[in-house]
Amino acid sequence: SWERIDQWIRKWVRDYSVERLVVLDDVVNLDRERFDSLLAIVEEMNILVEFPNGLRADLIKEKHVRRLKPLTSGLKVSLESASSRVQHEVLGKNLDPAAVEKVAGWCKRHEVPLQIHYLIGIPGERKEEINDTLKMARRLFESYRARPLLQFATPLSGSKLHTLCEEKRLLTEVPEDIHACFQERSIIKTSEFDPEFLKMVADNFTKAVTRTRQRKVIANLTYRCNNHCVFCAVGDRPKEDANINMVLSALRRYRQEGFELLDIDGGEPTLHEKLFTLIEESRKLGYSKISLITNGRRSSYRAYARRLVDSGIDEVLISLHAGEPKQHELLTGARGSYQQTVGGIENLLKFIENPERVAINTTLVKDNIADCERLGKMLEQMGIRRWNLQVVTPFGRAKVAQVPEEDELKLRLTALLTKFSGKMDIQIVNCPPCLIPGFEEKAALDFNKAARDMIFVGQGGENLQGFLSQRRKQDKRCSRCAYMILCPGFYVF
């Protein structure tokens, strides 16, 4: 009886100087009157209390969170699934996900740490419902700092789930290590999912919420350029230079906010007369890595290439879009640009001791994607170690007619990655992982754009993910994809 428990607690605290009470109960707040009485005892006896099995979210009130703040190290609730269908038809728990979010809001307001249990791989669950759960878990983590506790559905001996799995032969192995099954891998396979899919979505979710991202600011120094690329993302902007003092002021602010990396971009940043001043001052501000994105043409002059290397720049990313002059210059709209860019690459490789500090950026469009194997062979022979392949995006001068067909992208990119991955570090940019099966992690550069801010000429700065997401959307395919939690989807022209 509750009266007996009340007596025990008071006796233990008095006789044994108990400082912390751990309440083991399936749903300790199911009886609201009993729960309120328990809190009253804890407050009166001035001890701490923990609920390792968690509380039922839809029975928690804000007053409970407020009362518990000085009494506990944190709260724990279970959602299991964000799908109402799974809640009602599969689990029979009938918990409204909105109740969990409400508790998360209260815990943030009153500064009470919160952990939320989620469960994936439940027989009867659909792939899109698994992704809905992970999306909600990520959102509550990012919005309320509610720590997600993600587990795989695991049948305990004698449970309804165990009986179901046995009857329908859903188990891929005998669950000998229950803890490992809950935490590390699923052992359930249905017509909807298998352990490999569940492990992949769980790993991607972990990356989404725990990956340490170095924060980067990208400063556009000018919109002038000596190339006129047909797909240029800033080609429709006024051909003007940034005020160097405004840029430095923004970079000081970003550095104070913890940004560590700096990319200097354009237009063509080597046309700005204050480029070397910016590099020097940025180094003084403490940026740990400064990169220059350039077409490389000015580096074809040995003296300029030497000065650039001596300036303290950490890496140079050079745009080269084909392995022969005609195709490259068709895309850049500048005669002689191929020879100068290749000459710039050769000079920089000559003056920079570590070839990994020189990388190549290639924008993929219909007109050059078939030529990329020839370009790859040329880069390999030149000693290039890093190659970024960027799919054209719907900004600036780019047109939908320039976008390669998805089937061709998949075919060409997979072939390039198969042929050159052992020889160069290749990253795929602006391309959903589903279009490079077997090489999905090569699209990982896209997954970090939430940690990037961009300074546009004459403007203060904008989050890169937020800017790009205006033209990037997930579609029906994404709802069942193992990379949905990381990938922002397809670009829309």
Side-chain angles (χ1 to χ4, degrees):
S1 68
W2 174 245
E3 290 77 12
R4 180 64 61 86
I5 294 174
D6 183 336
Q7 294 171 8
W8 283 346
I9 293 172
R10 294 177 186 278
K11 176 178 174 56
W12 289 333
V13 172
R14 183 176 59 252
D15 294 351
Y16 301 106
S17 302
V18 168
E19 298 177 354
R20 185 182 303 269
L21 177 66
V22 178
V23 181
L24 299 173
D25 197 326
D26 284 345
V27 188
V28 70
N29 64 328
L30 192 59
D31 183 328
R32 295 183 182 182
E33 184 177 347
R34 175 174 176 258
F35 183 62
D36 285 335
S37 298
L38 176 62
L39 293 185
I41 295 173
V42 171
E43 290 168 331
E44 179 187 341
M45 305 300 288
N46 194 28
I47 58 174
L48 301 178
V49 63
E50 305 292 344
F51 308 103
N53 291 346
L55 304 174
R56 172 108 181 178
D58 53 2
L59 298 178
I60 297 175
K61 302 296 183 184
E62 185 173 8
K63 66 177 183 179
H64 296 138
V65 176
R66 189 168 54 245
R67 290 176 69 183
L68 281 164
K69 178 179 179 179
L71 304 176
T72 187
S73 61
L75 296 184
K76 187 183 296 183
V77 297
S78 293
L79 175 61
E80 274 86 39
S81 175
S83 163
S84 295
R85 190 193 72 84
V86 173
Q87 285 283 342
H88 288 78
E89 298 178 16
V90 180
L91 294 173
K93 186 172 182 177
N94 303 327
L95 175 66
D96 184 356
V100 175
E101 183 158 5
K102 190 176 291 185
V103 172
W106 292 334
C107 285
K108 180 181 180 181
R109 182 183 304 164
H110 297 289
E111 299 180 329
V112 176
L114 176 66
Q115 296 178 321
I116 303 176
H117 274 290
Y118 303 93
L119 198 63
I120 62 173
I122 308 163
E125 191 175 31
R126 300 166 185 154
K127 283 183 177 179
E128 55 266 36
E129 291 167 331
I130 292 172
N131 277 332
D132 285 343
T133 295
L134 298 182
K135 281 196 295 187
M136 183 168 184
R138 180 175 183 176
R139 182 168 57 80
L140 296 188
F141 172 72
E142 293 177 346
S143 300
Y144 305 104
R145 308 311 295 174
R147 181 184 166 200
L149 303 176
L150 182 64
Q151 294 181 319
F152 300 104
T154 302
L156 300 177
S157 181
S159 67
K160 291 182 179 179
L161 177 58
H162 187 272
T163 302
L164 175 66
C165 289
E166 288 283 343
E167 289 178 352
K168 296 195 174 184
R169 299 183 179 180
L170 303 180
L171 297 181
T172 58
E173 62 181 86
V174 177
E176 295 180 354
D177 187 341
I178 294 295
H179 177 79
C181 294
F182 269 118
Q183 305 295 338
E184 300 170 12
R185 68 184 190 282
S186 172
I187 59 170
I188 295 176
K189 179 179 180 180
T190 72
S191 59
E192 271 288 300
F193 55 76
D194 57 21
E196 183 179 359
F197 173 83
L198 294 171
K199 182 70 164 61
M200 192 178 298
V201 296
D203 287 347
N204 287 333
F205 174 76
T206 300
K207 290 174 186 175
V209 298
T210 64
R211 176 181 285 172
T212 301
R213 298 182 178 96
Q214 287 184 297
R215 301 174 73 188
K216 176 188 287 188
V217 58
I218 303 164
N220 288 302
L221 204 52
T222 180
Y223 290 142
R224 291 187 298 122
C225 188
N226 47 359
N227 282 347
H228 307 284
C229 296
V230 296
F231 44 70
C232 179
V234 294
D236 59 345
R237 293 174 182 262
K239 303 298 181 277
E240 59 185 15
D241 291 349
N243 180 292
I244 194 68
N245 292 323
M246 288 180 62
V247 176
L248 285 172
S249 176
L251 292 181
R252 288 189 193 96
R253 185 184 75 250
Y254 277 113
R255 187 71 193 97
Q256 290 168 355
E257 293 174 4
F259 282 70
E260 304 170 59
L261 311 178
L262 169 63
D263 281 1
I264 303 172
D265 204 346
E268 176 48 47
T270 62
L271 298 183
H272 198 293
E273 62 178 3
K274 296 293 185 180
L275 170 64
F276 292 103
T277 300
L278 181 72
I279 294 172
E280 180 182 356
E281 294 300 316
S282 299
R283 181 65 68 201
K284 291 178 182 177
L285 289 173
Y287 284 95
S288 61
K289 184 179 179 182
I290 303 174
S291 304
L292 179 71
I293 293 89
T294 173
N295 60 33
R297 292 179 62 182
R298 292 199 70 182
S299 292
S300 64
Y301 300 97
R302 289 173 59 87
Y304 191 89
R306 178 81 263 180
R307 184 183 180 193
L308 191 59
V309 172
D310 292 342
S311 71
I313 203 80
D314 292 294
E315 75 173 5
V316 184
L317 291 87
I318 303 171
S319 299
L320 182 64
H321 306 299
E324 53 85 27
K326 183 179 179 180
Q327 183 65 66
H328 178 78
E329 292 174 10
L330 181 68
L331 295 173
T332 63
R335 295 180 68 179
S337 60
Y338 177 84
Q339 183 178 357
Q340 284 193 322
T341 294
V342 171
I345 295 169
E346 291 172 341
N347 282 339
L348 290 168
L349 286 171
K350 193 177 300 180
F351 295 137
I352 292 179
E353 293 182 5
N354 183 355
E356 292 191 359
R357 291 173 57 194
V358 179
I360 302 300
N361 284 331
T362 301
T363 298
L364 299 177
V365 292
K366 275 185 178 179
D367 291 338
N368 72 345
I369 192 167
D371 184 62
C372 282
E373 183 172 344
R374 171 167 47 182
L375 176 57
K377 290 177 181 177
M378 185 186 96
L379 297 179
E380 181 187 350
Q381 291 170 359
M382 293 179 73
I384 292 295
R385 305 282 182 82
R386 295 168 51 222
W387 189 17
N388 292 341
L389 295 168
Q390 307 182 109
V391 181
V392 63
T393 57
F395 298 97
R397 295 196 190 104
K399 301 291 187 292
V400 67
Q402 298 167 341
V403 182
E405 297 294 334
E406 285 186 11
D407 288 344
E408 185 175 20
L409 262 179
K410 186 179 294 187
L411 177 68
R412 300 287 187 182
L413 288 178
T414 303
L416 289 170
L417 289 164
T418 301
K419 187 174 184 64
F420 295 109
S421 282
K423 302 162 186 176
M424 289 183 280
D425 177 17
I426 300 178
Q427 293 293 336
I428 310 299
V429 188
N430 305 327
C431 179
C434 60
L435 296 186
I436 44 175
F439 297 97
E440 290 89 351
E441 286 301 314
K442 291 295 183 180
L445 281 180
D446 270 358
F447 304 155
N448 288 324
K449 286 179 178 172
R452 307 275 191 269
D453 267 30
M454 180 172 282
I455 302 171
F456 294 100
V457 173
Q459 300 178 28
E462 186 173 352
N463 181 260
L464 184 57
Q465 180 100 307
F467 175 75
L468 295 176
S469 66
Q470 301 171 53
R471 306 297 291 273
R472 197 164 184 178
K473 303 295 181 185
Q474 292 183 339
D475 63 20
K476 291 181 179 179
R477 291 171 289 179
C478 303
S479 67
R480 297 175 60 81
C481 177
Y483 283 85
M484 183 280 302
I485 196 66
L486 287 174
C487 175
F490 296 83
Y491 278 101
V492 180
F493 277 75

